[in-house]
Amino acid sequence: LVTDYLRRYYKKQEITSYMMESAVTVTRSVESDLIANDLRKHEISRMSVLPSQRRQIYYMNRFLQMTSEDISKKLCLSKRTVENHLFIGRKEIREYIKKCI
């Protein structure tokens, strides 16, 4: 009887613990999603201020997942020019988001 009682008790504790962890994970997930959406809005608003070519290159890389080489072929630019625009664009947006946080 004692063994059965202890087995049920620990099983119940395990289930309760699992349910509590799941609830915390869901809460963290919702909070993380809200924070990510807010940061994305700030990123897009800052991106609209970038010069047109830099904005286009940043957008193609960040949101369309195009590589520097693909972008350079599509826009008829050198790969190094695209990389420079990406570097400067990322730097500007990173600094802006740091100020927002």
Side-chain angles (χ1 to χ4, degrees), residues 90-100:
R90 287 177 182 150
K91 183 178 178 183
E92 288 180 18
I93 290 176
R94 190 179 317 119
E95 289 172 359
Y96 177 77
I97 289 178
K98 280 183 183 178
K99 291 177 184 176
C100 293

Side-chain angles (χ1 to χ4, degrees), residues 1 12-13 22 27-28 32 37-38 50 58 61 65 69 77 79 84 87 92 96 99:
L1 289 173
K12 184 177 178 181
Q13 291 294 332
S22 296
T27 304
R28 287 184 187 153
S32 297
N37 286 336
D38 190 39
L50 294 174
Y58 183 85
N61 179 261
Q65 281 81 34
E69 192 171 320
L77 298 170
K79 183 179 175 187
N84 285 333
F87 176 76
E92 288 180 18
Y96 177 77
K99 291 177 184 176

Side-chain angles (χ1 to χ4, degrees), residues 1-81:
L1 289 173
V2 171
T3 303
D4 287 341
Y5 172 79
L6 289 174
R7 194 176 296 138
R8 280 194 307 267
Y9 174 79
Y10 287 118
K11 190 67 170 175
K12 184 177 178 181
Q13 291 294 332
E14 184 180 325
I15 291 171
T16 304
S17 173
Y18 176 76
M19 290 174 64
M20 292 302 288
E21 288 174 8
S22 296
V24 170
T25 303
V26 169
T27 304
R28 287 184 187 153
S29 176
V30 171
E31 289 175 2
S32 297
D33 290 346
L34 289 173
I35 292 169
N37 286 336
D38 190 39
L39 288 174
R40 190 173 298 117
K41 287 177 187 174
H42 284 294
E43 177 185 18
I44 291 170
S45 71
R46 179 59 184 153
M47 190 177 73
S48 65
V49 178
L50 294 174
S52 64
Q53 189 173 29
R54 189 170 299 151
R55 179 182 338 116
Q56 185 179 16
I57 290 171
Y58 183 85
Y59 177 82
M60 292 169 86
N61 179 261
R62 174 78 168 92
F63 296 102
L64 301 179
Q65 281 81 34
M66 293 177 71
T67 64
S68 299
E69 192 171 320
D70 294 338
I71 296 170
S72 67
K73 287 178 184 175
K74 184 163 182 142
L75 299 179
C76 299
L77 298 170
S78 74
K79 183 179 175 187
R80 189 70 184 139
T81 301

